Amino acid sequence: MGNNILYTFIRHSVKKLFLYTETAFILTGRLVGLLFIPFFKSQFFFLFPFYHIGGAEKVHIKIVRCLKEYKPVVFITNKSKNSALKKQFTQSAKTFNFGYFNYFDNPIFINFWVGVLCTIINNNKNGVVFGCNSILFYKLTPHLKPQIFCIDLIHAFGGGIEDFSLPYVERLDKRVVINKRTLKDLKDQYRLNNINEKMNERIILIENCVRIPESIKRKNNKSTLKILYVGRGSEEKRVNLIGKISHLCHQNNIPVEFTLVGDVRNSIEKQYSMYCNFLGEVTDEKLISEIYDNSDVLLLVSSREGFPLAIMEAMAHGIVTISTDVGGISEHICNGRNGFLIKNESEDLVIKNVCKVINELASNKFLMNKISLEAYEYAKTNFNCKNFCSQYEKVFWSK
C-alpha cells in the first residue's frame, strides 16, 4: 500500500516537473523568437521534415512553388541525409534548416522551437501554416493564435504520424490527402476515435502531378527488358526483394537488366548485387527523365504506400509499372491494362508473381508496347499539373 502511494506521488511530481520544464522552454523560445521576427516576415509558413531526395520532398517543392510570388518561408524540421533538394526549396522560399541542431528526439528542444516559431508566426497577421510529416508542426498548432490558418498534408497511413496528429485534429482548419484510400483511412480513424463527424468536412483530396512529355520515346524492341527501381531504401520499400527477383530472373534465363536509382546499394544482399546496376541518387531532372526514357518497366514491391510519385513519373514516360497492390496504387493502375498489380502476399509469392509478369512482358513485345501507350495516355489525362496549383491556392486562401 505504502509503495503504491509513493509511486503515485513520484509519478505526479515528475509529471508536474515536466510540465513546468515544458512551459519554461516554450517561454524561453518565445523570447528568443522576438529576435527572429524581422527575418521571417511572410503570410505563408511551411514545416517539412527533409530536403534530401524523395517523392514526398518533390511534392513539397511543387506546393511551395505555387506560392513563390508571396515569398513563403520553409522550416526544415529534421536532419536530412543530404542537401540534394535544398537548392530547389531555396529557389522558391526563404529556407531555414532546424535539422542542423538535430535535437528533435528531445522533447525539451521541441518545446523551445515551438516557442520560437509561435512568436514568429503569430506576429504575421492572417498567417497560414502548412505542415507534413513533422512532429514540430503538430506541437506548434495549439500555441498559434485562432486567426492563424493551419493545414496539414497526409501522404499515406502507416508511418505513425497520423496517430500523433490525432490530439490536434480540431486545430487543423484543412487536411489534404493525395488519394481516396488515405481519405477513407482518415475518416475511419476519426470514427474509431470518436472524433466529431464535422471534422470530415475539412478533409480535401488533391492528387499529385508530374510533368508530362509531349510524346513518349519509343521503347526498345531489343530482347533485353530494362527494369527500373526509383526510391529510397527504407524498410517498407523492401528493395531487398528486387535483388532476389533479379537473381531469379537470371536463373530462369529471362533477358532483363535491373537498374536502381536511389541510396539503395546496401539494401540489396551482396550475393544479388551482381545482377543490378546502381546509379545512386539522381537529382538532375533532365538525367532522371533520360533514365525513364531508356527504361521499360518500373518495379515496386512496397509493403505500404500512398501513391508513389515514381509511378506517376514512370507512366508519364510510357513505362509499364509492376507494383504490389498497396495504398492508393490500385486507384490508378488497372491490372493488365496500364500496368500490373501484384497481390501483397508472402514475400516468396511476391517474388514469384513478379517474375511471372516480367517473363510475360519479355516474351510479348506487343503487350509491352500496348500497356506502355495506355500508361502514357492515362498519365496525360490524370497527372498533369494544370489544376495542381489552383487547387492548393484555393485551400490556402479558403480561410
Side-chain angles (χ1 to χ4, degrees):
M1 184 75 172
N3 288 338
N4 288 337
I5 293 172
L6 180 62
Y7 172 77
T8 303
F9 173 75
I10 292 173
R11 185 180 177 186
H12 179 69
S13 298
V14 170
K15 187 175 180 181
K16 284 184 71 175
L17 179 62
F18 179 79
L19 289 173
Y20 288 140
T21 305
E22 178 181 296
T23 303
F25 272 85
I26 290 174
L27 288 173
T28 303
R30 284 179 180 270
L31 291 172
V32 173
L34 295 172
L35 302 174
F36 289 96
I37 287 174
F39 301 99
F40 296 107
K41 287 193 173 293
S42 177
Q43 184 177 354
F44 299 99
F45 298 88
F46 295 88
L47 279 77
F48 296 131
F50 309 113
Y51 52 43
H52 58 229
I53 197 161
E57 285 66 42
K58 290 181 179 179
V59 173
H60 300 162
I61 289 169
K62 285 188 174 77
I63 296 169
V64 174
R65 281 177 181 167
C66 293
L67 292 171
K68 182 179 179 179
E69 64 179 293
Y70 300 103
K71 299 180 179 179
V73 173
V74 171
F75 294 109
I76 302 297
T77 64
N78 298 69
K79 187 175 182 179
S80 301
K81 293 179 181 177
N82 53 56
S83 57
L85 298 178
K86 179 180 178 180
K87 184 178 179 181
Q88 294 188 44
F89 274 108
T90 57
Q91 286 174 339
S92 300
K94 178 178 284 188
T95 304
F96 185 81
N97 181 17
F98 287 120
Y100 284 132
F101 305 100
N102 195 27
Y103 295 145
F104 287 93
D105 56 346
N106 188 321
I108 290 176
F109 289 103
I110 289 181
N111 292 323
F112 171 76
W113 287 111
V114 163
V116 172
L117 289 181
C118 72
T119 296
I120 293 170
I121 295 169
N122 285 335
N123 190 66
N124 291 271
K125 289 185 178 180
N126 301 315
V128 177
V129 183
F130 185 102
C132 180
N133 293 337
S134 171
I135 289 174
L136 178 58
F137 164 76
Y138 292 112
K139 289 187 73 68
L140 169 66
T141 54
H143 300 275
L144 297 174
K145 292 179 179 178
Q147 65 265 33
I148 302 296
F149 200 65
C150 297
I151 311 165
D152 76 339
L153 166 63
I154 303 265
H155 287 281
F157 264 55
I161 198 71
E162 68 279 359
D163 295 325
F164 188 87
S165 71
L166 264 178
Y168 308 96
V169 167
E170 292 192 6
R171 184 59 186 89
L172 298 171
D173 299 286
K174 296 291 181 182
R175 308 197 76 178
V176 180
V177 296
I178 67 167
N179 56 60
K180 293 175 184 176
R181 175 61 184 271
T182 305
L183 178 65
K184 180 182 181 301
D185 287 340
L186 197 54
K187 288 182 177 180
D188 287 345
Q189 184 195 44
Y190 284 6
R191 178 175 50 80
L192 292 171
N193 288 277
N194 299 315
I195 290 176
N196 193 322
E197 284 188 10
K198 288 186 177 181
M199 295 297 105
N200 289 338
E201 298 172 9
R202 300 183 183 185
I203 307 172
I204 298 170
L205 171 63
I206 303 179
E207 294 184 319
N208 294 331
C209 73
V210 292
R211 186 186 68 83
I212 311 292
E214 291 184 8
S215 61
I216 55 172
K217 184 177 178 181
R218 184 176 177 81
K219 299 299 172 184
N220 80 79
N221 286 312
K222 297 178 182 178
S223 57
T224 302
L225 196 67
K226 295 186 176 182
I227 299 175
L228 178 67
Y229 170 81
V230 177
R232 302 186 306 276
S234 50
E235 185 179 353
E236 77 278 4
K237 298 292 185 179
R238 300 195 296 194
V239 184
N240 61 306
L241 299 191
I242 294 178
K244 294 179 180 180
I245 291 166
S246 68
H247 176 238
L248 185 57
C249 285
H250 280 84
Q251 274 190 326
N252 293 329
N253 296 314
I254 303 173
V256 290
E257 178 182 302
F258 283 76
T259 298
L260 287 79
V261 174
D263 186 15
V264 296
R265 183 179 286 273
N266 293 331
S267 300
I268 302 286
E269 295 176 50
K270 287 185 178 179
Q271 65 196 89
Y272 305 131
S273 61
M274 63 183 291
Y275 304 108
C276 302
N277 301 315
F278 298 95
L279 299 185
E281 292 190 333
V282 179
T283 59
D284 183 88
E285 292 183 8
K286 184 178 180 182
L287 180 55
I288 193 66
S289 181
E290 290 175 1
I291 293 169
Y292 280 126
D293 280 337
N294 291 308
S295 301
D296 301 305
V297 172
L298 178 76
L299 177 58
L300 296 176
V301 289
S302 304
S303 60
R304 60 179 174 84
E305 286 284 1
F307 183 63
L309 197 68
I311 291 181
M312 301 173 73
E313 292 173 337
M315 293 178 75
H317 288 264
I319 291 178
V320 176
T321 296
I322 302 174
S323 173
T324 40
D325 186 2
V326 293
I329 293 174
S330 62
E331 292 177 26
H332 298 286
I333 297 291
C334 180
N335 190 40
R337 183 171 179 179
N338 61 4
F340 292 90
L341 295 173
I342 305 297
K343 192 173 181 180
N344 189 29
E345 301 174 295
S346 70
E347 292 187 353
D348 287 342
L349 280 174
V350 169
I351 292 168
K352 177 183 175 182
N353 291 330
V354 166
C355 285
K356 184 178 178 181
V357 175
I358 290 174
N359 189 41
E360 182 180 7
L361 291 174
S363 60
N364 190 339
K365 289 296 180 183
F366 175 79
L367 177 64
M368 177 73 213
N369 290 332
K370 178 176 178 293
I371 295 180
S372 169
L373 183 59
E374 287 279 359
Y376 173 71
E377 291 298 331
Y378 185 91
K380 196 162 64 169
T381 301
N382 295 279
F383 300 155
N384 69 77
C385 291
K386 183 178 179 180
N387 298 319
F388 181 82
C389 277
S390 61
Q391 287 178 298
Y392 269 102
E393 286 173 357
K394 187 176 180 181
V395 173
F396 288 125
W397 293 107
S398 63
K399 57 181 298 184

